[in-house]
Amino acid sequence: MPLISDSIIKQVRENNDIVDVIGSYLPLVQKGKNYFCVCPFHDDHTPSMSVSREKQIFRCFVCGATGNAITFVRDYEKVSFQEAVDILAKKAGLNVNIQLKREDNTPYKEEYEIFNVVTMLYKNNLNSQKGAKAREYLEKRNLTKEVLDYFDIGLSLSTGVCKNLSTKYEKEKLINLGLAREDLSDLFTNRIMFTIKIIMVTQ
Ligand SMILES: [Zn+2]
């Protein structure tokens, strides 16, 4: 099964203006060529996020969150990349058939949830100030921002992720998922993280 084809992604992006997409979630104020809103990815009180219609990207000047219409929907709605493509395809009335992996009906719903939370955390790390060195390295390896976004590449730091997660999830789960050691310390610290995903798409 192929990944979502580039042509579907292109179609979805061409038919969803980023200003309209973000504007459907958050109030936007126009200043010159760009639009601004309160950033939903950090505790923001002044509009720190700019949205460019010309470039079809958003960028937060405080937390460094950046991306396009698809990755905004993914991160805002906390869904997978495929689900975000599906949401935007439907919004634009496009007739693409994206077969989503149904995570709702599995007995591993919580495991998926944990992986999604950790993936988001790692991605935010990579986009943060602490991720500068890793980003530089990835750039040298010719991994563009789009590729990093598409494959949910992130960065683990030594911030005690599993200890925090253990307030909400069972310790055994975190260990079985290969994220934590017996003492709840993180198995992965200061590493670039590649999320493994199974994506099935039909067109
Ligand atoms: Zn932000």
Side-chain angles (χ1 to χ4, degrees), residues 39-42 44 48-49 60 62-65:
C39 173
F41 304 119
H42 79 272
D44 195 14
S48 308
M49 182 176 275
C60 171
V62 177
C63 73

Side-chain angles (χ1 to χ4, degrees), residues 8-41:
I8 290 184
I9 292 170
K10 193 161 170 266
Q11 232 183 317
V12 164
R13 286 185 62 180
E14 279 171 2
N15 286 280
N16 283 282
D17 189 306
I18 192 162
V19 174
D20 299 335
V21 171
I22 296 183
S24 72
Y25 293 104
L26 300 163
L28 290 170
V29 180
Q30 189 174 6
K31 277 187 209 155
K33 268 202 290 187
N34 290 335
Y35 293 76
F36 289 83
C37 63
V38 169
C39 173
F41 304 119

Side-chain angles (χ1 to χ4, degrees), residues 78-80 82-83 100-110 112-113 116 197-198:
K78 296 190 172 61
V79 295
S80 66
Q82 303 71 247
E83 283 170 293
L100 297 169
K101 185 157 50 75
R102 281 278 139 239
E103 296 178 358
D104 297 350
N105 302 326
T106 86
Y108 301 112
K109 197 166 178 261
E110 203 167 64
Y112 281 118
E113 194 180 296
N116 283 337
K197 289 191 166 183
I198 300 163

